[in-house]
Amino acid sequence: MPQEFSPLQVLDWTPSADLTPVGEVVLVVLDVAPGPDHDAQVARVEALVAGCRDAGVPVVFARTMTGPAASVPAAPGLADRPEEYVVRRHRHSAFYGTELDLVVHGYGAQTVLLAGGTTDVSVHYSLVDAHQLDHHIRCVADLVTGTNPELHEAALRAIKYLQRDALVTTAAVETWLAGRRTPEEQTA
Amino acid sequence: MNTQGRTALVVVDFQGGDLSSSTSAYATDQLEKAKAIVAGCRAADLPVVWIQEVHKPHLTDMGRELDGSEGQHCIEGWADTEIAHGLDPLPTEHHVRKRRYSSFFATELDIVLKQYAVDSLVLIGGFTDICILYTAMDADQRDFRISVVSDVVSGSSRQAHDDALLMIAQLQDGALVTSEEVLAWLAPAEGAVSA
């Protein structure tokens, strides 16, 4: 049976206040899952999307499919712009049966930053695919919602097991965005 | 059992070579249970597919697997990379080598299972929270029914094992089964079938 005290066990899954991305970053936005704090959570994801757009970080939306119908954006700021990609997710992982990996490569990114979604389903299973596809993964731990608190914590532990730097706070992303040069400065 | 149509047994990373060493991830009784399930599937003419994680010593194929909790593992040539002694794949059985956690990821497993025309998978092996969970997740995404034998899987830690069993139960109702249930399903007791 599994060891009671394993050196592999994740003992601390506190999200980091430092994003430490590798290479370029793409923000992947999943549908904000139902939860007690849903409207406020939507507003926080909206703010993150706005911050990434302002800093020139590409944003990709993964819409959940129910048969032929895609989920609708939960707020105006979560609607895709003409130049942005939308992938249509029929399964747990946003990479499965979609063009998401191609898009991440197209942007020349090595780090997949993820917000929104169900921690123990779409978030965990999208991130394990990103991990297996050799991307660096970062999950905004306060912008994902678990099926319940127990599964939320379990999934955060599993994500931390995959990559030790994977869990970050919204503040970590904001700090990193503030320190980035604007698109204008980058081309200057 | 959470099955429909035809079923295959997928033995995921039941590795470690000689399991009699005290550092083995698998308890002695788990090896015996695994042997019994393999034998039962063969007797019932169900396909048995073997999965083995293996990496080259130069680590070209390691991906991001050293960025988390695990150190180097399943290196070609290491004694404990071998499938557990006593579990002996037959030459007629598919033996799939993989570089990542999910048995479906960059492997021929999907092709093999299509050839067998199976709809349902029984999973044993380890780690519960890594290769079993992510294989179960990918099987679910591919519309297979999954039965994970909860007493014949081993986790990276007790907590991660327990976490993963919760997650597997979330994937499909009835996805967790016991070896006792599997063996009874493979070989129903005399009288039970004719009743």
Side-chain angles (χ1 to χ4, degrees):
Chain A
M1 292 305 288
Q3 300 157 16
E4 290 299 330
F5 299 101
S6 163
L8 296 178
Q9 184 172 347
V10 174
L11 298 171
D12 179 10
W13 51 98
T14 312
S16 170
D18 195 357
L19 183 67
T20 65
V22 177
E24 293 299 316
V25 177
V26 168
L27 174 66
V28 175
V29 182
L30 301 173
D31 292 328
V32 175
D37 192 28
H38 183 261
D39 291 351
Q41 192 79 311
V42 167
R44 288 191 287 266
V45 175
E46 220 179 349
L48 187 79
V49 167
C52 284
R53 283 170 171 163
D54 288 347
V57 174
V59 179
V60 180
F61 295 95
R63 308 269 188 240
T64 311
M65 303 299 290
T66 308
S71 58
V72 295
L78 298 181
D80 47 288
R81 294 176 173 178
E83 70 276 16
E84 291 172 338
Y85 292 95
V86 175
V87 302
R88 297 149 66 88
R89 181 177 69 84
H90 288 264
R91 290 293 186 267
H92 307 305
S93 166
F95 286 90
Y96 186 75
T98 76
E99 62 188 1
L100 182 53
D101 187 48
L102 177 157
V103 169
V104 172
H105 278 287
Y107 280 123
Q110 295 181 59
T111 297
V112 170
L113 173 65
L114 190 143
T118 304
T119 322
D120 47 300
V121 187
S122 56
V123 172
H124 182 185
Y125 298 142
S126 295
L127 287 173
V128 75
D129 270 351
H131 171 81
Q132 294 188 112
L133 289 161
D134 297 348
H135 302 302
H136 297 266
I137 57 174
R138 298 292 181 271
C139 170
V140 189
D142 47 341
L143 295 184
V144 296
T145 310
T147 299
N148 58 46
E150 185 183 20
L151 282 163
H152 173 73
E153 297 290 319
L156 291 183
R157 287 192 284 272
I159 293 163
K160 176 77 181 274
Y161 183 101
L162 296 174
Q163 291 187 19
R164 63 184 75 88
D165 298 325
L167 301 177
V168 299
T169 60
T170 300
V173 184
E174 289 170 346
T175 303
W176 173 74
L177 288 172
R180 255 175 80 90
R181 293 179 300 166
T182 64
E184 291 72 28
E185 285 166 348
Q186 287 175 43
T187 53
Chain B
M1 294 291 288
N2 181 36
T3 59
Q4 63 177 12
R6 191 164 158 78
T7 301
L9 172 67
V10 182
V11 185
V12 181
D13 298 6
F14 212 115
Q15 291 165 236
D18 178 5
L19 294 191
S20 61
S21 92
S22 58
T23 56
S24 166
Y26 298 100
T28 313
D29 69 314
Q30 290 188 307
L31 178 60
E32 293 310 313
K33 286 173 179 176
K35 285 159 71 173
I37 290 172
V38 169
C41 286
R42 286 172 178 160
D45 205 23
L46 301 187
V48 178
V49 181
W50 300 86
I51 310 291
Q52 181 184 21
E53 179 158 334
V54 61
H55 300 284
K56 293 285 185 192
H58 52 68
L59 306 181
T60 302
D61 54 73
M62 205 66 179
R64 303 254 73 81
E65 291 195 5
L66 300 178
D67 289 5
S69 292
E70 294 180 18
Q72 289 190 22
H73 55 275
C74 302
I75 304 296
E76 206 172 285
W78 288 6
D80 60 4
T81 299
E82 293 171 23
I83 288 178
H85 296 172
L87 289 178
D88 303 310
L90 299 175
T92 51
E93 293 167 344
H94 284 277
H95 181 167
V96 175
R97 278 79 172 181
K98 70 180 175 64
R99 309 295 186 187
R100 292 291 183 271
Y101 300 142
S102 166
S103 305
F104 288 93
F105 195 93
T107 73
E108 70 268 40
L109 180 58
D110 207 27
I111 297 168
V112 167
L113 295 175
K114 280 206 174 76
Q115 287 170 347
Y116 285 131
V118 299
D119 308 295
S120 306
L121 307 179
V122 173
L123 301 179
I124 60 174
F127 287 146
T128 321
D129 47 306
I130 304 295
C131 297
I132 291 289
L133 173 63
Y134 299 133
T135 297
M137 179 273 284
D138 259 343
D140 179 77
Q141 296 197 131
R142 286 165 171 78
D143 299 337
F144 291 100
R145 291 278 188 93
I146 47 173
S147 297
V148 173
V149 188
S150 58
D151 55 329
V152 195
V153 291
S154 181
S156 66
S157 67
R158 163 62 68 180
Q159 179 180 58
H161 170 84
D162 292 343
D163 285 349
L165 292 185
L166 273 181
M167 293 173 187
I168 290 164
Q170 286 286 115
L171 286 174
Q172 292 182 13
D173 289 337
L176 297 180
V177 300
T178 63
S179 57
E180 202 173 347
E181 288 175 273
V182 176
L183 292 171
W185 171 76
L186 285 169
E190 288 292 326
V193 279
S194 56

